[in-house]
């Protein structure tokens, strides 16, 4: 057991865990889609990538998934609403959370019928744009930028 703070802290940690998990799944989906558009086998691409710094359990799940399982899916199903909850909390606190906004909206878009996707995409553009605009207040995302800089440096100084 780990003490995380007052009542409700554990739930907030769980919410943040699920937000990170959703963002990783979104990243896997985007990279797999791009690999396919490069005429690469997406799963082979991930088998190649996972030996670097981007190892993850979710990547391993994807690389070992039967192609039929992937191709039979049309939308994201199941799961909680942690991205929505986290985004609402960030909005209440006026803290930028752009990747979570993108992840939340991609999740929403993936769940609506195909004939309604254009409307959902238009809503997403407005919502995500407002999240990025919050980053103009340098204090609100200072630690986020510092973290990105530190990770880039640790990853080899990529600029």
């Amino acid at each position: 057991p780990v003490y995380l703070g007052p009542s409700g802290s554990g739930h907030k940690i769980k919410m943040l865990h699920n937000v990170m998990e959703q963002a990783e799944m979104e990243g896997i989906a985007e990279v797999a889609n791009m690999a396919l558009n490069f005429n690469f086998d997406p799963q082979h691409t991930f088998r190649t990538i996972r030996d670097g710094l981007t190892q993850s359990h979710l990547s391993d799940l994807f690389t070992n998934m039967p192609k039929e399982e992937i191709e039979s899916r049309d939308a994201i199903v199941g799961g909680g609403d942690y991205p929505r909850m986290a985004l609402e909390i960030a909005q209440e606190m006026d803290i930028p959370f752009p990747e979570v906004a993108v992840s939340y909206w991609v999740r929403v878009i993936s769940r609506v019928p195909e004939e309604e996707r254009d409307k959902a995409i238009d809503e997403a553009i407005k919502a995500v744009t407002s999240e990025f605009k919050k980053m103009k207040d340098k204090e609100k995302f200072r630690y986020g930028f510092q973290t990105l800089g530190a990770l880039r440096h640790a990853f080899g100084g990529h600029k």
Side-chain angles (χ1 to χ4, degrees), residues 12-28:
K12 289 175 182 169
I13 295 291
K14 173 66 173 161
M15 175 190 66
L16 294 173
H17 167 271
N18 285 27
V19 162
M20 193 166 164
E21 180 180 72
Q22 177 66 31
E24 185 177 347
M25 285 189 286
E26 173 64 23
I28 289 169

Side-chain angles (χ1 to χ4, degrees), residues 81-141:
D81 259 348
Y82 286 104
R84 178 193 53 79
M85 290 168 41
L87 187 57
E88 286 175 358
I89 290 169
Q91 287 170 341
E92 287 171 13
M93 298 172 71
D94 200 31
I95 297 170
F97 225 11
E99 184 167 342
V100 173
V102 170
S103 183
Y104 166 73
W105 279 101
V106 168
R107 187 178 176 142
V108 167
I109 293 163
S110 74
R111 290 180 172 183
V112 299
E114 195 169 334
E115 60 273 5
E116 296 175 27
R117 285 194 180 144
D118 285 351
K119 182 181 175 188
I121 289 169
D122 289 339
E123 288 180 52
I125 290 168
K126 287 185 225 168
V128 171
T129 299
S130 70
E131 286 303 308
F132 278 105
K133 285 181 179 178
K134 288 180 192 175
M135 295 174 82
K136 287 183 173 185
D137 181 338
K138 291 172 181 52
E139 289 305 312
K140 290 186 179 182
F141 200 68

